Amino acid sequence: MGKITGFLEIDRKVESYAPVEERIKNYREFTLPMEEKDVKDQGARCMDCGIPFCHSGCPLGNLIPDFNDAVYRGKWEKASEILHSTNNFPEFTGRLCPAPCEEACVLGINEDPVTIENIEKNIAETAFKKGWITAKPPLERTGKKVAVVGSGPAGLAAAQQLNRAGHQVTVFERDEKPGGLLRYGIPDFKMEKHVIDRRLEVLKEEGIEFKCGVHVGKDIKAGSLKNDFDAIVLTGGATVRRRLPIEGADLKGVVQAMDFLGQNNRRVDGIKDLGEEILATDKDVVVIGGGDTGSDCIGTSFRQGAKSVSNFEIMPMGTPDRPKDQPWPFWPMRLRTSSSHKEGAERFFSISTKKFIGDEKGNLKGLITSEVEWVTVPGQRPQLKEVEGTEREWKCELALLALGFTGSENTIAEQLGLEMDNRTNIKASEIDYKTNVPGIFVAGDQRRGQSLIVWAISEGRQAAHHVDKYLMGESALPLKGDGDLPRV
């Protein structure tokens, strides 16, 4: 795979970024594309490693050495066919995935891993530029109708796979446009929305119908779908936000991160009716939560003209290297510094917010924190302990809560009589994605809880196979690990 001695001769190289002072003036993507030769050289670094652990690191089971080799040899169309055989939307994952495949790369044991994610993005963009990504509607229809509820990556993947099998697919989305959190959660500077629209045009040309502005469970009863469709696939996101139950949490200026990000995406999209404005302009902003959502809030705050941005994380500061108790090829909880962090945010670890402080009009004006430590007792879960004498008051006019999600909304589940698991997800087996109600399937965050885009696409694809099998008795749709190289 690749050049036999490539990993010995070529260093890892990734896309560079536009300067901070330039990129924070707008919401456009700011990565600077690599030259084709450089991308091919990165493909050459892929080792003939015998057992490619990157396959197991990737939830989609992407055939990574195969498309790396095709890129190295300049066979871009072949690389696109290989990549699309397991991943419906590599232009999404090539921008947004944290790349667990790279953490599982064999070369990464003692060198920098292959730049798999960047190669993936370049394959997808080359394929669109060359016109290789075209609508491929099924040759014949089965007469079966399937409703997909939710148009995030899980829903879109399930819809395209089921449409390829010949079923008539209708996707229901409660927001103004399809895409789910890809559209109204991920900032444009990470993925501009024309990237979604470009793919949606292909899906529509293939025969998939989208009904936006329709909130299933509210605008229409979920049960009515059972009468109109032969099968239903629930692919909603994990949208129930984790709250911070402390004094002052109801002050004006204490805002859930997804409210802030979603409104800004609509603002960038030109939507005028946004309700009450949530803006970081000229404010001291504190982002509580150190994950990807928190990072997105940081980058958005700087683009809105925040006076300062601080980022609080209750966990201890990680190390840049892989922790000893998280060996290769597992995903390591190491310190990760995003492009948004590098735009000027000050990060604080092992810190807990105790109280929000308001003024006489109910507006947030500050908060109080303390340092914390995690105490480990053998046989027990680590316990959080406040460090005495470390209280501190901070000036803050906007606090963004990026604390993750506790599950999906359960209105649809209640209306359909679906069983839930102990994590408030809809209960369904990973073997066949079936719920306790015949003909109703679930995939993505609504089944497994908050997760990655790559897991969402994987779940949508897997579920589609089992829906097709339920409807037809058998299915030719691929499952992860089949090893096929089917149609694009």
Side-chain angles (χ1 to χ4, degrees):
M1 291 298 141
K3 185 179 181 181
I4 296 298
T5 57
F7 69 97
L8 298 172
E9 302 169 6
I10 303 167
D11 292 331
R12 176 182 168 96
K13 184 177 182 180
V14 297
E15 291 178 328
S16 57
Y17 299 151
V20 171
E21 61 271 16
E22 292 181 13
R23 69 191 196 224
I24 63 172
K25 295 177 181 178
N26 57 69
Y27 292 94
R28 294 191 296 272
E29 293 181 27
F30 52 83
T31 54
L32 304 177
M34 294 168 59
E35 296 291 334
E36 181 177 344
K37 179 184 181 301
D38 290 332
V39 182
K40 292 168 70 173
D41 283 347
Q42 293 306 300
R45 295 184 72 238
C46 190
M47 304 167 63
D48 188 9
C49 57
I51 299 177
F53 279 80
C54 54
H55 284 190
S56 62
C58 174
L60 282 162
N62 281 342
L63 305 174
I64 294 165
D66 302 76
F67 66 65
N68 282 343
D69 183 67
V71 167
Y72 162 60
R73 300 181 189 283
K75 299 179 179 179
W76 289 92
E77 188 169 11
K78 179 182 178 181
S80 175
E81 292 173 357
I82 295 169
L83 178 54
H84 278 87
S85 73
T86 56
N87 184 354
N88 298 67
F89 314 120
E91 69 274 25
F92 301 165
T93 54
R95 287 171 165 83
L96 305 175
C97 184
C101 55
E102 294 187 16
E103 294 288 4
C105 174
V106 173
L107 183 56
I109 295 175
N110 57 359
E111 296 286 348
D112 291 331
V114 176
T115 57
I116 300 168
E117 182 184 20
N118 195 236
I119 291 172
E120 186 174 306
K121 175 185 173 182
N122 277 272
I123 293 171
E125 291 305 313
T126 299
F128 272 107
K129 183 178 179 180
K130 297 288 187 180
W132 299 329
I133 308 298
T134 58
K136 294 178 174 59
L139 297 178
E140 57 184 40
R141 291 289 179 181
T142 63
K144 302 292 186 180
K145 297 194 299 181
V146 181
V148 176
V149 182
S151 68
L156 294 178
Q160 186 170 45
Q161 293 298 97
L162 288 164
N163 186 69
R164 286 172 171 172
H167 309 307
Q168 188 61 56
V169 180
T170 302
V171 179
F172 293 88
E173 170 57 55
R174 67 182 177 183
D175 286 327
E176 306 95 313
K177 296 180 180 180
L181 291 182
L182 291 174
R183 186 177 296 278
Y184 296 121
I186 302 296
D188 286 64
F189 59 79
K190 287 177 68 174
M191 186 174 74
E192 294 179 42
K193 302 313 174 235
H194 68 79
V195 176
I196 305 173
D197 295 333
R198 178 179 62 181
R199 180 62 75 169
L200 287 172
E201 287 305 310
V202 176
L203 300 184
K204 291 174 183 177
E205 289 177 22
E206 290 179 342
I208 299 172
E209 181 182 7
F210 290 88
K211 291 188 176 183
C212 295
V214 179
H215 190 166
V216 176
K218 182 177 180 181
D219 298 328
I220 60 174
K221 295 295 184 182
S224 67
L225 297 183
K226 292 177 64 178
N227 300 324
D228 298 333
F229 294 89
D230 299 291
I232 301 171
V233 190
L234 303 177
T235 61
T239 54
V240 179
R241 298 90 181 267
R242 182 173 284 109
R243 302 186 181 279
L244 190 57
I246 62 175
E247 184 180 344
D250 57 347
L251 289 169
K252 184 179 179 181
V254 180
V255 178
Q256 283 286 343
M258 293 313 301
D259 292 337
F260 174 69
L261 295 172
Q263 184 186 92
N264 195 69
N265 280 14
R266 288 176 168 87
R267 184 181 295 112
V268 173
D269 194 31
I271 296 173
K272 302 299 182 183
D273 186 13
L274 298 173
E276 188 172 354
E277 293 266 14
I278 309 170
L279 290 169
T281 311
D282 296 327
K283 293 177 181 176
D284 293 296
V285 179
V286 173
V287 178
I288 303 175
D292 289 339
T293 302
S295 170
D296 294 343
C297 288
I298 292 169
T300 301
S301 295
F302 280 124
R303 283 159 180 77
Q304 290 185 358
K307 186 187 301 182
S308 70
V309 182
S310 301
N311 186 203
F312 294 173
E313 169 58 65
I314 200 168
M315 299 298 293
M317 182 176 179
T319 61
D321 300 321
R322 180 184 287 274
K324 292 182 179 180
D325 62 345
Q326 298 164 24
W328 176 90
F330 297 106
W331 176 260
M333 300 301 291
R334 66 171 94 214
L335 177 67
R336 300 179 191 275
T337 302
S338 72
S339 58
S340 292
H341 291 135
K342 295 176 182 178
E343 290 171 357
E346 190 170 4
R347 304 170 75 182
F348 299 87
F349 297 86
S350 298
I351 188 169
S352 176
T353 305
K354 298 179 63 177
K355 176 183 178 181
F356 293 113
I357 305 170
D359 62 17
E360 64 280 359
K361 295 182 180 180
N363 298 308
L364 177 69
K365 70 174 186 178
L367 53 83
I368 295 175
T369 65
S370 66
E371 296 178 16
V372 295
E373 60 182 356
W374 292 87
V375 179
T376 302
V377 178
Q380 299 181 21
R381 298 180 65 179
Q383 300 294 314
L384 186 65
K385 181 182 178 182
E386 182 177 333
V387 179
E388 292 185 13
T390 60
E391 276 198 3
R392 175 179 172 183
E393 184 172 334
W394 305 69
K395 185 180 179 184
C396 173
E397 295 87 27
L398 179 63
L400 299 171
L401 308 184
L403 305 173
F405 304 86
T406 60
S408 61
E409 299 163 42
N410 60 12
T411 302
I412 294 176
E414 290 175 354
Q415 291 183 6
L416 293 173
L418 303 179
E419 293 181 2
M420 310 292 286
D421 65 18
N422 57 7
R423 297 173 58 234
T424 73
N425 302 316
I426 297 175
K427 192 173 182 180
S429 167
E430 191 173 6
I431 297 174
D432 57 18
Y433 296 81
K434 292 179 179 179
T435 68
N436 60 298
V437 178
I440 301 179
F441 298 76
V442 61
D445 288 2
Q446 218 160 4
R447 190 195 72 83
R448 64 180 287 119
Q450 177 188 358
S451 193
L452 305 175
I453 178 178
V454 68
W455 269 114
I457 296 172
S458 174
E459 292 243 330
R461 288 174 61 90
Q462 297 290 102
H465 172 95
H466 295 290
V467 175
D468 185 35
K469 187 175 180 180
Y470 165 80
L471 294 172
M472 307 303 293
E474 59 183 5
S475 178
L477 292 176
L479 286 170
K480 183 165 56 179
D482 278 355
D484 296 334
L485 298 182
R487 55 195 180 279
V488 174

